[in-house]
Amino acid sequence: MTALNATHDPKLRSWVASANEAGCDFPIQNLPFGRFRIPGGSEAFRIGVAIGDQVLDLKAAGLVDSDDMNALMDASLKERQALRAAISAGLAEGGGKQAAWSKALLPQSNAEMTVPCRIGDYTDFYTGIHHATTIGKLFRPDQPLMPNYKWVPIGYHGRASSIGVSGQAFKRPQGQTKAPDAASPSFGPSKRLDYELELGFFVGRGNALGEPIAIGEAEDHLFGVALLNDWSARDLQAWEYQPLGPFLSKNFASTLSPWIVTMEALAPFRAKFERPAGDPQPLPYLDAPSNRESGALDITLEVLLQTAKMRTEGTAPTRLTRGNTTEAAYWTAAQLVAHHTVNGCNLQPGDLLGSGTLSGPQPDEAGSLIELTQGGKQPITLPNGEKRTFLEDGDTLTIRGWCERAGAVRIGLGEVSGTVLA
Ligand code: CA
């Protein structure tokens, strides 16, 4: 795990005034990476770091030679730490770079963002035990959690081509569905379109094929974290998922927040990884002192919904859920990396590992509509009187995340937003 250093100092302030405002997602202690360009342009996307309401162009600031984010992610831990230290020092009040770097700033409101890197492969895990239990009850009342769940970090290989950045709008997917009492399946638009509240872990330096990453070194191979909405068509999923798992119910769209918050920035917001009494302890390859001591992340997540009607009437989005990752995830990010590579599978810079839906233990901490509405049986009523069991056309779903702790400056993951089209 990354140790605390000068870049985490709560007393640090930036000459970018907006970074010092209370509640800002991107103070100088955060420094997340993303890719941006002037809106509507045809130029290549450049590497930027968010500071307050601005983006610092790393190449214009003389901090990187190329705009290849994946190459930057492939840097050694030491090189990445040196880059963060240089950015922090240059953006700090009195650091001497204000005159030069002011010219390398662009307001975020005037930047077009894209997915933060080239994502070669995308794996989605299923670490949310409360989600797995609730969903399991709906699909298999007699056996909600499969016998492997507490031993194996369950995952499947997803699709990278349909991953978009916040602001993504996508058409409601069509496909095969079959009601339990129907004799044969029918074809049409999904009637049970849902979201999934997830974290996306980005791989930094990869591993050679055949060379597993030991859990003690796993975090050195993680570049950082973004917010991820794994849109899911529940009716397609129910009909197709056996025996090989989700397929067309998941790969029509997934949406990421534009900024990757680095593991180093998250250092003040770690938590112990503990198993409830009576649960099996992880096998040795999934266990390490560092993982037990601080393998978990302490991130608050919330989900907001704005319907088309609310947008027309100028009503602010309404909150569906708020919860915390420490209570939701049964496996840590380091365990996912160790498990993914234990058979010799090679991870590469820019690969994305989804956490799975992070639902808390309480019903109102659920990270999907299928849980909030008990399988679509209990519609929820929004403040304006509209009801929802699943997402309707025109709905905009937003996920926000942030970290807060005494003795540290609050940092945010920003937000990921997406809209369902007819
Ligand atoms: Ca998922």
Side-chain angles (χ1 to χ4, degrees), residues 232-268:
S232 300
R234 301 298 181 195
D235 40 1
L236 275 63
Q237 187 180 356
W239 174 231
E240 75 172 5
Y241 87 102
Q242 287 181 321
L244 286 183
F247 180 38
L248 301 183
S249 57
K250 301 276 191 175
N251 68 5
F252 54 92
S254 313
T255 315
L256 274 171
S257 57
W259 299 107
I260 307 178
V261 174
T262 62
M263 298 311 287
E264 191 172 356
L266 290 164

PDB file of all heavy atoms in Angstrom, residues 232-268:
ATOM      1  N   SER A 232     -27.602  -2.864 -17.085  1.00  0.00           N
ATOM      2  CA  SER A 232     -27.959  -4.286 -17.155  1.00  0.00           C
ATOM      3  C   SER A 232     -29.423  -4.456 -17.552  1.00  0.00           C
ATOM      4  O   SER A 232     -30.306  -3.840 -16.953  1.00  0.00           O
ATOM      5  CB  SER A 232     -27.752  -4.945 -15.788  1.00  0.00           C
ATOM      6  OG  SER A 232     -26.397  -4.829 -15.383  1.00  0.00           O
ATOM      7  N   ALA A 233     -29.668  -5.306 -18.559  1.00  0.00           N
ATOM      8  CA  ALA A 233     -31.040  -5.623 -18.969  1.00  0.00           C
ATOM      9  C   ALA A 233     -31.444  -6.907 -18.245  1.00  0.00           C
ATOM     10  O   ALA A 233     -31.064  -8.005 -18.643  1.00  0.00           O
ATOM     11  CB  ALA A 233     -31.119  -5.787 -20.476  1.00  0.00           C
ATOM     12  N   ARG A 234     -32.206  -6.749 -17.153  1.00  0.00           N
ATOM     13  CA  ARG A 234     -32.470  -7.890 -16.268  1.00  0.00           C
ATOM     14  C   ARG A 234     -33.285  -8.990 -16.940  1.00  0.00           C
ATOM     15  O   ARG A 234     -33.126 -10.167 -16.613  1.00  0.00           O
ATOM     16  CB  ARG A 234     -33.225  -7.413 -15.017  1.00  0.00           C
ATOM     17  CG  ARG A 234     -32.498  -6.373 -14.196  1.00  0.00           C
ATOM     18  CD  ARG A 234     -31.197  -6.897 -13.656  1.00  0.00           C
ATOM     19  NE  ARG A 234     -30.516  -5.878 -12.850  1.00  0.00           N
ATOM     20  CZ  ARG A 234     -29.243  -5.971 -12.496  1.00  0.00           C
ATOM     21  NH1 ARG A 234     -28.510  -7.017 -12.867  1.00  0.00           N
ATOM     22  NH2 ARG A 234     -28.673  -5.017 -11.791  1.00  0.00           N
ATOM     23  N   ASP A 235     -34.200  -8.594 -17.857  1.00  0.00           N
ATOM     24  CA  ASP A 235     -35.019  -9.631 -18.496  1.00  0.00           C
ATOM     25  C   ASP A 235     -34.185 -10.449 -19.491  1.00  0.00           C
ATOM     26  O   ASP A 235     -34.347 -11.660 -19.601  1.00  0.00           O
ATOM     27  CB  ASP A 235     -36.279  -9.031 -19.148  1.00  0.00           C
ATOM     28  CG  ASP A 235     -36.038  -7.709 -19.860  1.00  0.00           C
ATOM     29  OD1 ASP A 235     -34.888  -7.216 -19.893  1.00  0.00           O
ATOM     30  OD2 ASP A 235     -37.014  -7.157 -20.404  1.00  0.00           O
ATOM     31  N   LEU A 236     -33.276  -9.779 -20.200  1.00  0.00           N
ATOM     32  CA  LEU A 236     -32.363 -10.519 -21.083  1.00  0.00           C
ATOM     33  C   LEU A 236     -31.455 -11.422 -20.244  1.00  0.00           C
ATOM     34  O   LEU A 236     -31.191 -12.578 -20.589  1.00  0.00           O
ATOM     35  CB  LEU A 236     -31.496  -9.551 -21.902  1.00  0.00           C
ATOM     36  CG  LEU A 236     -32.050  -8.968 -23.206  1.00  0.00           C
ATOM     37  CD1 LEU A 236     -33.281  -8.114 -22.974  1.00  0.00           C
ATOM     38  CD2 LEU A 236     -30.982  -8.135 -23.904  1.00  0.00           C
ATOM     39  N   GLN A 237     -31.008 -10.864 -19.112  1.00  0.00           N
ATOM     40  CA  GLN A 237     -30.071 -11.587 -18.244  1.00  0.00           C
ATOM     41  C   GLN A 237     -30.684 -12.875 -17.699  1.00  0.00           C
ATOM     42  O   GLN A 237     -30.045 -13.930 -17.696  1.00  0.00           O
ATOM     43  CB  GLN A 237     -29.664 -10.667 -17.081  1.00  0.00           C
ATOM     44  CG  GLN A 237     -28.571 -11.217 -16.178  1.00  0.00           C
ATOM     45  CD  GLN A 237     -28.210 -10.241 -15.043  1.00  0.00           C
ATOM     46  OE1 GLN A 237     -28.732  -9.120 -14.985  1.00  0.00           O
ATOM     47  NE2 GLN A 237     -27.329 -10.664 -14.173  1.00  0.00           N
ATOM     48  N   ALA A 238     -31.945 -12.779 -17.254  1.00  0.00           N
ATOM     49  CA  ALA A 238     -32.581 -13.939 -16.624  1.00  0.00           C
ATOM     50  C   ALA A 238     -32.680 -15.119 -17.599  1.00  0.00           C
ATOM     51  O   ALA A 238     -32.553 -16.271 -17.212  1.00  0.00           O
ATOM     52  CB  ALA A 238     -33.971 -13.548 -16.130  1.00  0.00           C
ATOM     53  N   TRP A 239     -32.885 -14.808 -18.878  1.00  0.00           N
ATOM     54  CA  TRP A 239     -33.078 -15.862 -19.885  1.00  0.00           C
ATOM     55  C   TRP A 239     -31.756 -16.403 -20.414  1.00  0.00           C
ATOM     56  O   TRP A 239     -31.651 -17.561 -20.776  1.00  0.00           O
ATOM     57  CB  TRP A 239     -33.963 -15.305 -21.015  1.00  0.00           C
ATOM     58  CG  TRP A 239     -34.179 -16.159 -22.238  1.00  0.00           C
ATOM     59  CD1 TRP A 239     -34.012 -15.763 -23.530  1.00  0.00           C
ATOM     60  CD2 TRP A 239     -34.648 -17.513 -22.309  1.00  0.00           C
ATOM     61  NE1 TRP A 239     -34.321 -16.771 -24.394  1.00  0.00           N
ATOM     62  CE2 TRP A 239     -34.720 -17.870 -23.669  1.00  0.00           C
ATOM     63  CE3 TRP A 239     -35.006 -18.463 -21.343  1.00  0.00           C
ATOM     64  CZ2 TRP A 239     -35.132 -19.133 -24.114  1.00  0.00           C
ATOM     65  CZ3 TRP A 239     -35.414 -19.733 -21.777  1.00  0.00           C
ATOM     66  CH2 TRP A 239     -35.472 -20.048 -23.137  1.00  0.00           C
ATOM     67  N   GLU A 240     -30.709 -15.562 -20.426  1.00  0.00           N
ATOM     68  CA  GLU A 240     -29.470 -15.978 -21.098  1.00  0.00           C
ATOM     69  C   GLU A 240     -28.360 -16.433 -20.150  1.00  0.00           C
ATOM     70  O   GLU A 240     -27.387 -17.019 -20.599  1.00  0.00           O
ATOM     71  CB  GLU A 240     -28.919 -14.815 -21.935  1.00  0.00           C
ATOM     72  CG  GLU A 240     -28.257 -13.721 -21.089  1.00  0.00           C
ATOM     73  CD  GLU A 240     -27.529 -12.647 -21.907  1.00  0.00           C
ATOM     74  OE1 GLU A 240     -27.597 -12.666 -23.139  1.00  0.00           O
ATOM     75  OE2 GLU A 240     -26.912 -11.790 -21.258  1.00  0.00           O
ATOM     76  N   TYR A 241     -28.461 -16.148 -18.828  1.00  0.00           N
ATOM     77  CA  TYR A 241     -27.239 -16.202 -18.004  1.00  0.00           C
ATOM     78  C   TYR A 241     -26.739 -17.605 -17.697  1.00  0.00           C
ATOM     79  O   TYR A 241     -25.577 -17.771 -17.312  1.00  0.00           O
ATOM     80  CB  TYR A 241     -27.407 -15.392 -16.716  1.00  0.00           C
ATOM     81  CG  TYR A 241     -28.020 -16.122 -15.549  1.00  0.00           C
ATOM     82  CD1 TYR A 241     -27.237 -16.597 -14.503  1.00  0.00           C
ATOM     83  CD2 TYR A 241     -29.389 -16.328 -15.487  1.00  0.00           C
ATOM     84  CE1 TYR A 241     -27.790 -17.257 -13.427  1.00  0.00           C
ATOM     85  CE2 TYR A 241     -29.957 -16.986 -14.416  1.00  0.00           C
ATOM     86  CZ  TYR A 241     -29.162 -17.453 -13.388  1.00  0.00           C
ATOM     87  OH  TYR A 241     -29.706 -18.114 -12.317  1.00  0.00           O
ATOM     88  N   GLN A 242     -27.579 -18.615 -17.849  1.00  0.00           N
ATOM     89  CA  GLN A 242     -27.066 -19.959 -17.596  1.00  0.00           C
ATOM     90  C   GLN A 242     -26.808 -20.661 -18.928  1.00  0.00           C
ATOM     91  O   GLN A 242     -27.629 -20.550 -19.839  1.00  0.00           O
ATOM     92  CB  GLN A 242     -28.060 -20.765 -16.759  1.00  0.00           C
ATOM     93  CG  GLN A 242     -28.063 -20.277 -15.314  1.00  0.00           C
ATOM     94  CD  GLN A 242     -28.999 -21.052 -14.432  1.00  0.00           C
ATOM     95  OE1 GLN A 242     -30.081 -21.411 -14.861  1.00  0.00           O
ATOM     96  NE2 GLN A 242     -28.587 -21.301 -13.214  1.00  0.00           N
ATOM     97  N   PRO A 243     -25.721 -21.381 -19.123  1.00  0.00           N
ATOM     98  CA  PRO A 243     -24.731 -21.717 -18.101  1.00  0.00           C
ATOM     99  C   PRO A 243     -23.476 -20.841 -18.114  1.00  0.00           C
ATOM    100  O   PRO A 243     -22.611 -21.044 -17.276  1.00  0.00           O
ATOM    101  CB  PRO A 243     -24.339 -23.143 -18.490  1.00  0.00           C
ATOM    102  CG  PRO A 243     -24.413 -23.128 -19.989  1.00  0.00           C
ATOM    103  CD  PRO A 243     -25.511 -22.160 -20.346  1.00  0.00           C
ATOM    104  N   LEU A 244     -23.322 -19.867 -19.016  1.00  0.00           N
ATOM    105  CA  LEU A 244     -22.025 -19.193 -19.133  1.00  0.00           C
ATOM    106  C   LEU A 244     -22.002 -17.763 -18.592  1.00  0.00           C
ATOM    107  O   LEU A 244     -21.016 -17.066 -18.741  1.00  0.00           O
ATOM    108  CB  LEU A 244     -21.549 -19.199 -20.590  1.00  0.00           C
ATOM    109  CG  LEU A 244     -21.050 -20.546 -21.115  1.00  0.00           C
ATOM    110  CD1 LEU A 244     -20.526 -20.414 -22.547  1.00  0.00           C
ATOM    111  CD2 LEU A 244     -19.948 -21.129 -20.235  1.00  0.00           C
ATOM    112  N   GLY A 245     -23.091 -17.313 -17.970  1.00  0.00           N
ATOM    113  CA  GLY A 245     -23.065 -15.983 -17.364  1.00  0.00           C
ATOM    114  C   GLY A 245     -23.605 -14.912 -18.282  1.00  0.00           C
ATOM    115  O   GLY A 245     -24.108 -15.186 -19.366  1.00  0.00           O
ATOM    116  N   PRO A 246     -23.509 -13.625 -17.878  1.00  0.00           N
ATOM    117  CA  PRO A 246     -24.099 -12.529 -18.643  1.00  0.00           C
ATOM    118  C   PRO A 246     -23.428 -12.352 -20.006  1.00  0.00           C
ATOM    119  O   PRO A 246     -22.232 -12.575 -20.141  1.00  0.00           O
ATOM    120  CB  PRO A 246     -23.837 -11.294 -17.781  1.00  0.00           C
ATOM    121  CG  PRO A 246     -23.229 -11.764 -16.519  1.00  0.00           C
ATOM    122  CD  PRO A 246     -22.777 -13.161 -16.703  1.00  0.00           C
ATOM    123  N   PHE A 247     -24.206 -11.918 -20.979  1.00  0.00           N
ATOM    124  CA  PHE A 247     -23.689 -11.716 -22.350  1.00  0.00           C
ATOM    125  C   PHE A 247     -24.336 -10.449 -22.912  1.00  0.00           C
ATOM    126  O   PHE A 247     -23.891  -9.348 -22.596  1.00  0.00           O
ATOM    127  CB  PHE A 247     -23.987 -12.988 -23.165  1.00  0.00           C
ATOM    128  CG  PHE A 247     -23.525 -12.971 -24.594  1.00  0.00           C
ATOM    129  CD1 PHE A 247     -22.329 -12.375 -24.962  1.00  0.00           C
ATOM    130  CD2 PHE A 247     -24.291 -13.579 -25.588  1.00  0.00           C
ATOM    131  CE1 PHE A 247     -21.907 -12.375 -26.281  1.00  0.00           C
ATOM    132  CE2 PHE A 247     -23.869 -13.591 -26.908  1.00  0.00           C
ATOM    133  CZ  PHE A 247     -22.683 -12.990 -27.256  1.00  0.00           C
ATOM    134  N   LEU A 248     -25.409 -10.561 -23.672  1.00  0.00           N
ATOM    135  CA  LEU A 248     -26.016  -9.379 -24.298  1.00  0.00           C
ATOM    136  C   LEU A 248     -26.756  -8.497 -23.278  1.00  0.00           C
ATOM    137  O   LEU A 248     -27.091  -7.350 -23.592  1.00  0.00           O
ATOM    138  CB  LEU A 248     -26.968  -9.802 -25.409  1.00  0.00           C
ATOM    139  CG  LEU A 248     -26.349 -10.632 -26.539  1.00  0.00           C
ATOM    140  CD1 LEU A 248     -27.386 -10.928 -27.617  1.00  0.00           C
ATOM    141  CD2 LEU A 248     -25.155  -9.918 -27.162  1.00  0.00           C
ATOM    142  N   SER A 249     -27.012  -9.028 -22.105  1.00  0.00           N
ATOM    143  CA  SER A 249     -27.696  -8.233 -21.072  1.00  0.00           C
ATOM    144  C   SER A 249     -26.781  -7.171 -20.477  1.00  0.00           C
ATOM    145  O   SER A 249     -27.225  -6.302 -19.735  1.00  0.00           O
ATOM    146  CB  SER A 249     -28.188  -9.148 -19.955  1.00  0.00           C
ATOM    147  OG  SER A 249     -27.115  -9.891 -19.408  1.00  0.00           O
ATOM    148  N   LYS A 250     -25.484  -7.223 -20.815  1.00  0.00           N
ATOM    149  CA  LYS A 250     -24.512  -6.318 -20.187  1.00  0.00           C
ATOM    150  C   LYS A 250     -23.652  -5.554 -21.184  1.00  0.00           C
ATOM    151  O   LYS A 250     -23.079  -4.530 -20.831  1.00  0.00           O
ATOM    152  CB  LYS A 250     -23.552  -7.136 -19.303  1.00  0.00           C
ATOM    153  CG  LYS A 250     -24.223  -7.928 -18.201  1.00  0.00           C
ATOM    154  CD  LYS A 250     -24.455  -7.059 -16.992  1.00  0.00           C
ATOM    155  CE  LYS A 250     -24.876  -7.897 -15.803  1.00  0.00           C
ATOM    156  NZ  LYS A 250     -24.988  -7.079 -14.595  1.00  0.00           N
ATOM    157  N   ASN A 251     -23.495  -6.056 -22.404  1.00  0.00           N
ATOM    158  CA  ASN A 251     -22.436  -5.506 -23.259  1.00  0.00           C
ATOM    159  C   ASN A 251     -22.908  -4.435 -24.230  1.00  0.00           C
ATOM    160  O   ASN A 251     -22.187  -4.074 -25.149  1.00  0.00           O
ATOM    161  CB  ASN A 251     -21.722  -6.635 -24.015  1.00  0.00           C
ATOM    162  CG  ASN A 251     -22.615  -7.303 -25.061  1.00  0.00           C
ATOM    163  OD1 ASN A 251     -23.735  -6.868 -25.277  1.00  0.00           O
ATOM    164  ND2 ASN A 251     -22.118  -8.338 -25.695  1.00  0.00           N
ATOM    165  N   PHE A 252     -24.114  -3.889 -24.037  1.00  0.00           N
ATOM    166  CA  PHE A 252     -24.611  -2.840 -24.934  1.00  0.00           C
ATOM    167  C   PHE A 252     -24.094  -1.465 -24.513  1.00  0.00           C
ATOM    168  O   PHE A 252     -24.023  -0.552 -25.333  1.00  0.00           O
ATOM    169  CB  PHE A 252     -26.148  -2.855 -24.972  1.00  0.00           C
ATOM    170  CG  PHE A 252     -26.772  -2.761 -23.615  1.00  0.00           C
ATOM    171  CD1 PHE A 252     -27.111  -1.533 -23.085  1.00  0.00           C
ATOM    172  CD2 PHE A 252     -27.009  -3.899 -22.854  1.00  0.00           C
ATOM    173  CE1 PHE A 252     -27.669  -1.437 -21.822  1.00  0.00           C
ATOM    174  CE2 PHE A 252     -27.572  -3.809 -21.588  1.00  0.00           C
ATOM    175  CZ  PHE A 252     -27.901  -2.582 -21.067  1.00  0.00           C
ATOM    176  N   ALA A 253     -23.739  -1.289 -23.252  1.00  0.00           N
ATOM    177  CA  ALA A 253     -23.163  -0.024 -22.769  1.00  0.00           C
ATOM    178  C   ALA A 253     -22.691  -0.186 -21.329  1.00  0.00           C
ATOM    179  O   ALA A 253     -23.324  -0.887 -20.536  1.00  0.00           O
ATOM    180  CB  ALA A 253     -24.189   1.118 -22.824  1.00  0.00           C
ATOM    181  N   SER A 254     -21.577   0.436 -21.014  1.00  0.00           N
ATOM    182  CA  SER A 254     -21.115   0.614 -19.630  1.00  0.00           C
ATOM    183  C   SER A 254     -20.506   2.010 -19.598  1.00  0.00           C
ATOM    184  O   SER A 254     -19.872   2.416 -20.566  1.00  0.00           O
ATOM    185  CB  SER A 254     -20.053  -0.417 -19.235  1.00  0.00           C
ATOM    186  OG  SER A 254     -20.444  -1.712 -19.627  1.00  0.00           O
ATOM    187  N   THR A 255     -20.697   2.733 -18.517  1.00  0.00           N
ATOM    188  CA  THR A 255     -20.266   4.137 -18.499  1.00  0.00           C
ATOM    189  C   THR A 255     -19.303   4.402 -17.343  1.00  0.00           C
ATOM    190  O   THR A 255     -19.552   3.980 -16.211  1.00  0.00           O
ATOM    191  CB  THR A 255     -21.492   5.079 -18.399  1.00  0.00           C
ATOM    192  OG1 THR A 255     -22.498   4.633 -19.312  1.00  0.00           O
ATOM    193  CG2 THR A 255     -21.114   6.498 -18.750  1.00  0.00           C
ATOM    194  N   LEU A 256     -18.223   5.113 -17.661  1.00  0.00           N
ATOM    195  CA  LEU A 256     -17.159   5.426 -16.693  1.00  0.00           C
ATOM    196  C   LEU A 256     -17.122   6.923 -16.404  1.00  0.00           C
ATOM    197  O   LEU A 256     -17.369   7.740 -17.291  1.00  0.00           O
ATOM    198  CB  LEU A 256     -15.799   5.091 -17.293  1.00  0.00           C
ATOM    199  CG  LEU A 256     -15.254   3.677 -17.185  1.00  0.00           C
ATOM    200  CD1 LEU A 256     -14.002   3.583 -18.053  1.00  0.00           C
ATOM    201  CD2 LEU A 256     -14.942   3.289 -15.757  1.00  0.00           C
ATOM    202  N   SER A 257     -16.720   7.266 -15.189  1.00  0.00           N
ATOM    203  CA  SER A 257     -16.410   8.669 -14.895  1.00  0.00           C
ATOM    204  C   SER A 257     -15.086   9.013 -15.586  1.00  0.00           C
ATOM    205  O   SER A 257     -14.271   8.133 -15.837  1.00  0.00           O
ATOM    206  CB  SER A 257     -16.311   8.887 -13.383  1.00  0.00           C
ATOM    207  OG  SER A 257     -15.337   8.041 -12.816  1.00  0.00           O
ATOM    208  N   PRO A 258     -14.883  10.291 -15.919  1.00  0.00           N
ATOM    209  CA  PRO A 258     -13.711  10.645 -16.738  1.00  0.00           C
ATOM    210  C   PRO A 258     -12.378  10.652 -16.002  1.00  0.00           C
ATOM    211  O   PRO A 258     -11.332  10.629 -16.644  1.00  0.00           O
ATOM    212  CB  PRO A 258     -14.041  12.044 -17.240  1.00  0.00           C
ATOM    213  CG  PRO A 258     -15.052  12.591 -16.305  1.00  0.00           C
ATOM    214  CD  PRO A 258     -15.813  11.425 -15.747  1.00  0.00           C
ATOM    215  N   TRP A 259     -12.396  10.694 -14.667  1.00  0.00           N
ATOM    216  CA  TRP A 259     -11.143  10.868 -13.923  1.00  0.00           C
ATOM    217  C   TRP A 259     -10.764   9.610 -13.163  1.00  0.00           C
ATOM    218  O   TRP A 259     -11.583   9.048 -12.424  1.00  0.00           O
ATOM    219  CB  TRP A 259     -11.277  12.033 -12.929  1.00  0.00           C
ATOM    220  CG  TRP A 259     -11.556  13.339 -13.598  1.00  0.00           C
ATOM    221  CD1 TRP A 259     -12.745  14.027 -13.601  1.00  0.00           C
ATOM    222  CD2 TRP A 259     -10.643  14.102 -14.400  1.00  0.00           C
ATOM    223  NE1 TRP A 259     -12.620  15.176 -14.349  1.00  0.00           N
ATOM    224  CE2 TRP A 259     -11.341  15.248 -14.847  1.00  0.00           C
ATOM    225  CE3 TRP A 259      -9.315  13.928 -14.775  1.00  0.00           C
ATOM    226  CZ2 TRP A 259     -10.746  16.217 -15.656  1.00  0.00           C
ATOM    227  CZ3 TRP A 259      -8.722  14.882 -15.580  1.00  0.00           C
ATOM    228  CH2 TRP A 259      -9.432  16.013 -16.012  1.00  0.00           C
ATOM    229  N   ILE A 260      -9.508   9.183 -13.311  1.00  0.00           N
ATOM    230  CA  ILE A 260      -8.986   8.057 -12.514  1.00  0.00           C
ATOM    231  C   ILE A 260      -8.298   8.623 -11.283  1.00  0.00           C
ATOM    232  O   ILE A 260      -7.274   9.310 -11.384  1.00  0.00           O
ATOM    233  CB  ILE A 260      -7.964   7.213 -13.307  1.00  0.00           C
ATOM    234  CG1 ILE A 260      -8.539   6.766 -14.654  1.00  0.00           C
ATOM    235  CG2 ILE A 260      -7.551   5.999 -12.478  1.00  0.00           C
ATOM    236  CD1 ILE A 260      -7.527   5.970 -15.503  1.00  0.00           C
ATOM    237  N   VAL A 261      -8.872   8.344 -10.123  1.00  0.00           N
ATOM    238  CA  VAL A 261      -8.246   8.734  -8.857  1.00  0.00           C
ATOM    239  C   VAL A 261      -7.209   7.666  -8.524  1.00  0.00           C
ATOM    240  O   VAL A 261      -7.525   6.480  -8.470  1.00  0.00           O
ATOM    241  CB  VAL A 261      -9.303   8.860  -7.739  1.00  0.00           C
ATOM    242  CG1 VAL A 261      -8.645   9.112  -6.389  1.00  0.00           C
ATOM    243  CG2 VAL A 261     -10.272   9.989  -8.074  1.00  0.00           C
ATOM    244  N   THR A 262      -5.967   8.095  -8.341  1.00  0.00           N
ATOM    245  CA  THR A 262      -4.888   7.107  -8.189  1.00  0.00           C
ATOM    246  C   THR A 262      -4.941   6.417  -6.826  1.00  0.00           C
ATOM    247  O   THR A 262      -5.480   6.952  -5.855  1.00  0.00           O
ATOM    248  CB  THR A 262      -3.505   7.779  -8.340  1.00  0.00           C
ATOM    249  OG1 THR A 262      -3.354   8.749  -7.289  1.00  0.00           O
ATOM    250  CG2 THR A 262      -3.368   8.454  -9.695  1.00  0.00           C
ATOM    251  N   MET A 263      -4.352   5.238  -6.775  1.00  0.00           N
ATOM    252  CA  MET A 263      -4.272   4.516  -5.501  1.00  0.00           C
ATOM    253  C   MET A 263      -3.510   5.360  -4.485  1.00  0.00           C
ATOM    254  O   MET A 263      -3.812   5.334  -3.297  1.00  0.00           O
ATOM    255  CB  MET A 263      -3.583   3.160  -5.694  1.00  0.00           C
ATOM    256  CG  MET A 263      -4.306   2.204  -6.636  1.00  0.00           C
ATOM    257  SD  MET A 263      -6.079   1.983  -6.317  1.00  0.00           S
ATOM    258  CE  MET A 263      -6.048   0.998  -4.820  1.00  0.00           C
ATOM    259  N   GLU A 264      -2.531   6.135  -4.987  1.00  0.00           N
ATOM    260  CA  GLU A 264      -1.753   6.975  -4.070  1.00  0.00           C
ATOM    261  C   GLU A 264      -2.639   8.048  -3.430  1.00  0.00           C
ATOM    262  O   GLU A 264      -2.542   8.304  -2.227  1.00  0.00           O
ATOM    263  CB  GLU A 264      -0.567   7.610  -4.813  1.00  0.00           C
ATOM    264  CG  GLU A 264       0.419   8.269  -3.866  1.00  0.00           C
ATOM    265  CD  GLU A 264       1.705   8.731  -4.550  1.00  0.00           C
ATOM    266  OE1 GLU A 264       1.875   8.477  -5.757  1.00  0.00           O
ATOM    267  OE2 GLU A 264       2.530   9.343  -3.859  1.00  0.00           O
ATOM    268  N   ALA A 265      -3.529   8.641  -4.235  1.00  0.00           N
ATOM    269  CA  ALA A 265      -4.428   9.665  -3.675  1.00  0.00           C
ATOM    270  C   ALA A 265      -5.368   9.069  -2.635  1.00  0.00           C
ATOM    271  O   ALA A 265      -5.824   9.757  -1.723  1.00  0.00           O
ATOM    272  CB  ALA A 265      -5.238  10.308  -4.804  1.00  0.00           C
ATOM    273  N   LEU A 266      -5.661   7.771  -2.784  1.00  0.00           N
ATOM    274  CA  LEU A 266      -6.598   7.106  -1.871  1.00  0.00           C
ATOM    275  C   LEU A 266      -5.927   6.632  -0.578  1.00  0.00           C
ATOM    276  O   LEU A 266      -6.613   6.115   0.313  1.00  0.00           O
ATOM    277  CB  LEU A 266      -7.253   5.909  -2.581  1.00  0.00           C
ATOM    278  CG  LEU A 266      -8.234   6.287  -3.694  1.00  0.00           C
ATOM    279  CD1 LEU A 266      -8.531   5.082  -4.581  1.00  0.00           C
ATOM    280  CD2 LEU A 266      -9.528   6.839  -3.100  1.00  0.00           C
ATOM    281  N   ALA A 267      -4.622   6.815  -0.465  1.00  0.00           N
ATOM    282  CA  ALA A 267      -3.886   6.299   0.696  1.00  0.00           C
ATOM    283  C   ALA A 267      -4.488   6.713   2.053  1.00  0.00           C
ATOM    284  O   ALA A 267      -4.532   5.904   2.976  1.00  0.00           O
ATOM    285  CB  ALA A 267      -2.411   6.705   0.618  1.00  0.00           C
ATOM    286  N   PRO A 268      -4.992   7.951   2.215  1.00  0.00           N
ATOM    287  CA  PRO A 268      -5.568   8.299   3.531  1.00  0.00           C
ATOM    288  C   PRO A 268      -6.923   7.641   3.787  1.00  0.00           C
ATOM    289  O   PRO A 268      -7.462   7.786   4.886  1.00  0.00           O
ATOM    290  CB  PRO A 268      -5.742   9.829   3.449  1.00  0.00           C
ATOM    291  CG  PRO A 268      -4.950  10.269   2.264  1.00  0.00           C
ATOM    292  CD  PRO A 268      -4.939   9.116   1.316  1.00  0.00           C
TER     293      PRO A 268
END
